[in-house]
Amino acid sequence: MPACSARFSRLFFSPWPAMLLAATWLTGCASLPSEVERPVSTALAAPGDTALGRAVQARAAKAGTRNDSGFALVNSAELAFTSRMALIGAAQKTLDIQYYAIHADETTDRMFDALRAAAARGVRVRILLDDFNTVGKNAQVLKLAFEKNIDLRLFNPLPGSRASLFFRLLASLKDVDRLQRRMHNKIFVADNAVAITGGRNLGETYFGQGEGTNFIDADVLAAGRIVRELSHSFDQYWNNPLAYPVQSLLTLEEIAALKPPPGPAAGPASAPPSGEAGAVPPAASAKETIRTTTKLDGSISVIEPLPDSTNLALLDWTWAPSTLLVDKASKIAADADVIEQAQDTTVDGLLSLMAQANRDLLVVSPYFVPGQRMMDQLAAIRQKGVRIRVLTNSLASNDAPAAHVGYARYRKALLAMGIEIYEMRAEQEGTVSSFSGLGSTGSASGSRASLHSKIVVLDDQLLVIGSMNLDLRSQLQNSEVALVIRSKKLAGETVRLIEPALATGAYKVELMDGQLVWRAPQGSQLKDSRTEPDASLGLRLVLKLIGPFAPEEML
């Protein structure tokens, strides 16, 4: 109690005393449990004894390669979902799943059913989830912790209310440092033999099923030795003191109480309301509910359901040298100043690789807030004559406008040093489930696009895909993971996927007489703009108001 009293007394010296007093009232002296049982467990020791492990060995032998790791680019939202479902179905021993966010929706419900079926046949399932988004409806994900053979731990949990994200943020203002440090890793491993990693979280907007916004994202499938390194990283986080079993924080009854009340019944199937599901035909189950989205022209179209899985053996696997960049779990507990001085994070490793570029550097980062040190490194790369192209979100396509504030500070300086900048167009005319759909026409599901991929390609021969953004948050606050693959084939495939999106799905930003100009995408019939395209006046005003004050490391 004395600690709580001391913390309360300092509230009066805060710049926001009213908000902090409200936060204290909401949470009281809420704290995390001190005595927590965390049984130590590790990844499967003998992946070669499983069907997946044997398949990997057979595929490597058939390829006649000296490389010990194989990769397949996951270049569509559908493949991203079906490949994960295929791994769940194929797993015989273990499934290790690590994510920043898992949303409770119809798409993940299907995945959870598959996980329950895997657990029922004896597969050990470990799920490690960052605690930031486990509020409101999404708290229902935590019910998996009470299923047989499924263990779920929350990383760096926040004490206090889970009723809504707003109250969680309000209640955490007294511990902003802890609030800011998040586990951003994304890893999905089956039998320690095959894995998926990249930018996607789990939820319908990451798999092209969102009725409003869909994220353009990228993953890579991996097999062989590199998977064992991913699993080792997972174990380091799983057995860390910051990982709390759900049962140490919540009961099943408390989770159930957070479930929102059911909404109104859906309308007739023949005339479903815009953006809502139509009625289920008598013979259909809840899993087969017809879902619709409103296209840009105002018409209504059906969102096609995702297949259950894919045959991973039919994918084009490439065997290549690789390495893993991953932050230590201790980064979440370390001081930001110490991290900045150490310069040994995933983003620092990526910047060191980028400095080796000789001809061409293609960067895809949804949140691009370089900071002065990164600006100096980019300038040094440009001085070697390297062409640098950056694809990031526009203000309109950015799901976190505050991040755009930090990026906008550097935009003119980046252009002045000769870096080519492209900003994602939010209002796409076609499907937005993959890069290849940007700017296309005739799609069945026109919806808002938001870039979420994290990709770097060096000299058309080195490919980096991971969870990291090129911003100070990824560098100093969050933990991240990335695969570095030396393969002209995969690098070239990725460039060929992205370059059409630069031409037809993004605005090219230029400097003219010291002022910014957004060049309209090719074939879009849009006009060039001298203000942030597609963004409302209100959003542009917010950008100008908060721009001078927002600290970059928090954006």
Side-chain angles (χ1 to χ4, degrees):
M1 186 61 69
C4 291
S5 300
R7 185 164 62 239
F8 181 82
S9 67
R10 289 196 294 269
L11 293 178
F12 293 100
F13 299 97
S14 166
W16 306 298
M19 292 184 67
L20 291 177
L21 281 170
T24 301
W25 177 79
L26 283 168
T27 61
C29 292
S31 60
L32 297 172
S34 56
E35 299 296 329
V36 177
E37 292 187 11
R38 298 181 183 86
V40 174
S41 61
T42 55
L44 183 66
D49 293 340
T50 68
L52 277 174
R54 290 189 293 270
V56 170
Q57 294 170 355
R59 179 59 67 102
K62 184 178 180 180
T65 179
R66 290 181 296 177
N67 295 306
D68 55 15
S69 300
F71 305 93
L73 193 63
V74 179
N75 57 11
S76 74
E78 178 179 302
L79 181 59
F81 178 80
T82 57
S83 57
R84 286 169 171 82
M85 292 290 281
L87 289 183
I88 296 173
Q92 293 179 321
K93 299 291 185 179
T94 61
L95 284 163
D96 292 332
I97 299 169
Q98 180 180 13
Y99 279 93
Y100 168 66
I102 301 178
H103 300 302
D105 54 44
E106 293 179 20
T107 303
T108 51
D109 279 349
R110 290 173 60 186
M111 196 172 289
F112 297 163
D113 286 345
L115 287 173
R116 293 185 185 98
R121 65 176 185 265
V123 176
R124 183 197 69 183
V125 180
R126 296 188 296 175
I127 302 174
L128 183 58
L129 178 61
D130 184 86
D131 189 47
F132 184 76
N133 291 288
T134 58
V135 296
K137 176 184 176 182
N138 291 334
Q140 299 309 303
V141 170
L142 305 182
K143 287 183 178 180
L144 285 172
F146 298 86
E147 302 274 354
K148 183 179 180 181
N149 276 353
I150 299 179
D151 289 329
L152 200 161
R153 294 184 181 181
L154 294 176
F155 201 83
N156 192 20
L158 300 168
S161 172
R162 294 177 185 270
S164 71
L165 185 57
F166 171 78
F167 285 116
R168 165 159 277 203
L169 290 171
L170 189 62
S172 300
L173 285 175
K174 61 183 180 296
D175 194 3
V176 174
D177 286 343
R178 182 182 184 89
L179 174 68
Q180 291 291 312
R181 300 173 187 277
R182 307 320 316 167
M183 183 192 74
H184 201 236
N185 311 40
K186 288 116 175 167
I187 297 174
F188 199 111
V189 185
D191 285 341
N192 202 9
V194 181
I196 304 174
T197 190
R200 280 184 178 86
N201 294 299
L202 301 184
E204 61 186 14
T205 58
Y206 297 94
F207 298 120
Q209 299 294 292
E211 295 180 2
T213 297
N214 282 301
F215 290 112
I216 308 303
D217 225 320
D219 294 317
V220 64
L221 274 155
R225 184 265 312 164
I226 197 70
V227 176
R228 295 190 287 277
E229 292 191 23
L230 285 166
S231 292
H232 177 72
S233 167
F234 178 95
D235 287 344
Q236 298 303 303
Y237 281 82
W238 180 261
N239 296 309
N240 189 277
L242 287 177
Y244 285 68
V246 169
Q247 290 86 341
S248 69
L249 302 170
L250 290 163
T251 66
L252 188 59
E253 292 73 22
E254 288 171 331
I255 297 171
L258 293 169
K259 187 174 184 178
S270 58
S274 173
E276 297 181 5
V280 184
S285 68
K287 299 288 184 183
E288 297 166 329
T289 301
I290 298 172
R291 300 175 66 245
T292 64
T293 186
T294 303
K295 297 174 66 174
L296 296 178
D297 61 6
S299 62
I300 295 172
S301 60
V302 175
I303 297 178
E304 295 295 330
L306 293 165
D308 285 333
S309 67
T310 192
N311 188 341
L312 299 181
L314 298 179
L315 298 178
D316 184 14
W317 289 83
T318 299
W319 297 83
S322 61
T323 191
L324 178 68
L325 297 177
V326 61
D327 287 320
K328 297 176 182 177
S330 57
K331 178 182 178 182
I332 302 298
D335 184 86
D337 292 335
V338 174
I339 294 172
E340 187 170 17
Q341 294 169 8
Q343 299 185 22
D344 62 353
T345 68
T346 293
V347 173
D348 289 315
L350 175 57
L351 292 172
S352 296
L353 287 173
M354 290 166 55
Q356 300 174 25
N358 294 312
R359 301 184 310 277
D360 187 88
L361 185 61
L362 176 60
V363 176
V364 180
S365 181
Y367 317 117
F368 185 49
V369 187
Q372 191 54 54
R373 197 174 88 196
M374 198 181 301
M375 287 291 287
D376 293 341
Q377 291 172 295
L378 291 171
I381 297 172
R382 279 292 298 142
Q383 288 174 1
K384 297 192 303 178
V386 176
R387 181 191 188 191
I388 302 178
R389 292 175 291 173
V390 176
L391 174 63
T392 190
N393 273 308
S394 64
L395 176 59
S397 70
N398 204 321
D399 70 312
H404 195 84
V405 170
Y407 154 66
R409 293 172 182 170
Y410 294 95
R411 193 160 39 192
K412 287 186 177 180
L414 290 163
L415 292 169
M417 70 172 67
I419 293 177
E420 301 172 40
I421 296 179
Y422 298 83
E423 293 184 2
M424 173 78 67
R425 182 185 169 201
E427 301 298 336
Q428 300 290 336
E429 296 175 353
T431 177
V432 291
S433 63
S434 67
F435 277 110
S436 60
L438 294 181
S440 65
T441 57
S443 165
S445 60
S447 63
R448 182 176 177 273
S450 184
L451 184 68
H452 201 259
S453 308
K454 303 93 165 57
I455 300 171
V456 174
V457 183
L458 287 79
D459 295 335
D460 294 325
Q461 63 180 3
L462 193 70
L463 171 64
V464 185
I465 295 184
S467 67
M468 72 291 149
N469 297 292
L470 279 180
D471 65 0
L472 296 180
R473 173 173 289 281
S474 285
Q475 189 173 22
L476 302 178
Q477 302 279 1
N478 294 343
S479 64
E480 308 287 357
V481 61
L483 288 184
V484 182
I485 308 165
R486 183 171 293 279
S487 167
K488 289 184 179 180
K489 178 182 177 183
L490 287 176
E493 182 181 346
T494 304
V495 171
R496 288 190 294 274
L497 189 68
I498 295 171
E499 284 186 331
L502 298 180
T504 63
Y507 289 91
K508 185 177 182 182
V509 188
E510 297 179 356
L511 269 180
M512 180 177 291
D513 298 327
Q515 299 301 312
L516 296 172
V517 178
W518 284 261
R519 300 298 185 189
Q522 296 175 13
S524 66
Q525 299 181 342
L526 297 171
K527 295 181 179 179
D528 295 346
S529 177
R530 290 183 177 270
T531 58
E532 305 268 2
D534 303 328
S536 67
L537 176 61
L539 193 55
R540 297 199 303 270
L541 286 175
V542 169
L543 183 71
K544 290 184 178 296
L545 287 172
I546 69 174
F549 307 106
E552 291 175 350
E553 66 276 6
M554 295 177 66
L555 299 176

